[in-house]
Amino acid sequence: MKAGRISRWMLLLTLLLAAFLRQRRYPIPLPARLSFLLENPVTEAFVGPSLLLERLDLAPGMNILDAGCGPGRLTIPVARATGPEGCVTALDVQPAMLEKLRRRIHAEGLTNVRIIRASLGEGALEENAFDREVLAMALGEVRDRGAALRELYRALKPGGILSVTEAFGDPDYHRSATVRREAEAAGFSLVARYGSFPAYTLNFTKP
Ligand SMILES: C[S@@+](CC[C@H](N)C(=O)[O-])C[C@H]1O[C@@H](n2cnc3c(N)ncnc32)[C@H](O)[C@@H]1O
């Protein structure tokens, strides 16, 4: 009886480990039906919108990219901060996430959000277009991170900021040294770092 229970636990743990390792190797985006997982007291405390907005040094009128925007946890507060004279481009690969975002934009009465359905790295973004680029808990889900970072580099205005946030516990979490190495390979220079464990933000610029 006891041995049977132990082997069931072992099986469960093995399956969880296999799922985790598979996600690390062949990442798939967080399904839109699980997007509620993004907004909870833990993310609020460590990667909440008010904290991440402080790290962006936003000003009204800016042109901002929210890459891998999901259902708009950050898009909405960023759109409020940049004001009607600014613009937020919200990009995500999943139509169902963007549908959730559309409903939120409508409910908030915002008119300064542009939505793009594309995979980061495919080349959907204009060159030298953005003052700020937000990439929160999204880089690890992108299969070709090199292509994604090169596109972000091209799309950023010189002197603009790419702000990458990662949170431990996310199966797609990447260490700050890895993110830094990959961003620098795309041409970015590190200008600031915030937080450490369980979540950090690295800000890069395009010299
Ligand atoms: C964990 S969610 C984070 C959402 C949001 N940035 C936040 O902090 O609440 C990651 C998002 O990245 C999107 N994503 C994954 N791979 C992508 C890709 N290749 N191109 C664009 N978006 C992608 C997913 O669809 C998902 O909405």
Side-chain angles (χ1 to χ4, degrees), residues 1-15:
M1 177 69 179
K2 207 170 175 188
R5 204 176 299 157
I6 290 174
S7 54
R8 271 202 300 278
W9 274 109
M10 292 294 286
L11 179 65
L12 181 65
L13 286 176
T14 309
L15 288 174

Side-chain angles (χ1 to χ4, degrees), residues 60-148:
M62 278 185 171
N63 215 2
I64 322 281
L65 171 71
D66 186 4
C69 59
R73 186 178 76 89
L74 301 171
T75 317
I76 301 294
V78 168
R80 279 199 219 104
T82 192
E85 64 278 29
C87 179
V88 181
T89 298
L91 177 144
D92 203 286
V93 71
Q94 295 189 78
M97 283 290 195
L98 295 173
E99 196 42 51
K100 285 174 185 255
L101 172 62
R102 243 180 228 109
R103 273 186 245 129
R104 251 166 137 160
I105 294 168
H106 182 72
E108 296 276 338
L110 290 166
T111 55
N112 61 344
V113 182
R114 174 177 74 134
I115 290 179
I116 299 181
R117 210 238 26 109
S119 179
L120 202 53
E122 272 180 356
L125 299 172
E126 306 89 345
E127 208 172 322
N128 295 332
F130 301 105
D131 300 290
R132 300 286 182 269
E133 294 176 339
V134 182
L135 190 60
M137 299 192 292
L139 184 60
E141 288 188 13
V142 177
R143 288 217 174 163
D144 190 344
R145 297 200 297 277

